[in-house]
Amino acid sequence: MFDIANLSIGVLLLLLRVAVVFLLYFFLWQVLRVVARDLRGAAPAPAPASQYGQLVVVSAGQTGIPVGKSFPLAPVTVIGRSTEAEVSLNDTFLSAEHARLQWRNGVWHLEDLKSTNGTYLNGFEVRSSTEVHDGDVIRVGRVELKLLTA
């Protein structure tokens, strides 16, 4: 004989299972949509142009900084691990204030700020204030930065 009570309970359970699966997939779709929107919006804003030029990352070492990222220059620009430095790099081989790039009499000058691992200009260690020209490569820690003047 046909039992309508068992049939209606079975159909009701099936509909509830389908609803739970639908809600689960709907939730996952919403999460993916929000994550994708956040990732699209998280693109780094280009660094504002500076009349003094910029330092562009040529080799990032293990810092995770994208190659090509640029840092605008001020008349006195400190490079280091400190968040207070104008060019702050997350490299354990850097001192808090590692090197200073200074604009004097129309020429850039680079000096090492008594860092532990030294500062290098085009592969040579900087021991005193040294002139830096457009296209020169500065290495601090494991990061290489190219000077591009405006």
Side-chain angles (χ1 to χ4, degrees):
M1 177 171 215
F2 186 66
D3 187 10
I4 199 129
N6 281 337
L7 179 64
S8 63
I9 290 176
V11 169
L12 183 61
L13 286 175
L14 177 65
L15 289 175
L16 285 173
R17 288 179 184 158
V18 169
V20 167
V21 170
F22 172 76
L23 289 174
L24 177 65
Y25 280 109
F26 181 72
F27 173 76
L28 290 175
W29 177 71
Q30 291 292 336
V31 168
L32 289 175
R33 200 179 71 142
V34 167
V35 168
R37 184 183 64 211
D38 285 349
L39 288 175
R40 278 192 304 269
S50 169
Q51 66 180 5
Y52 298 101
Q54 58 190 348
L55 286 174
V56 178
V57 176
V58 176
S59 174
Q62 297 174 345
T63 62
I65 298 171
V67 172
K69 177 177 174 50
S70 63
F71 297 93
L73 295 173
V76 176
T77 302
V78 175
I79 304 167
R81 192 176 66 232
S82 168
T83 56
E84 315 252 325
E86 285 80 11
V87 178
S88 179
L89 304 168
N90 184 20
D91 186 351
T92 56
F93 281 70
L94 285 178
S95 300
E97 290 187 348
H98 195 93
R100 179 181 9 224
L101 197 56
Q102 189 170 11
W103 182 253
R104 290 192 310 243
N105 302 323
V107 179
W108 284 107
H109 293 269
L110 177 67
E111 60 185 297
D112 184 69
L113 299 176
K114 297 182 177 141
S115 65
T116 305
N117 294 315
T119 300
Y120 295 84
L121 178 64
N122 296 324
F124 296 99
E125 188 171 6
V126 174
R127 295 182 187 265
S128 62
S129 182
T130 306
E131 284 190 12
V132 184
H133 303 284
D134 188 40
D136 284 350
V137 176
I138 300 167
R139 181 165 59 88
V140 289
R142 294 177 283 195
V143 179
E144 291 183 352
L145 305 159
K146 181 184 277 190
L147 175 70
L148 299 177
T149 57

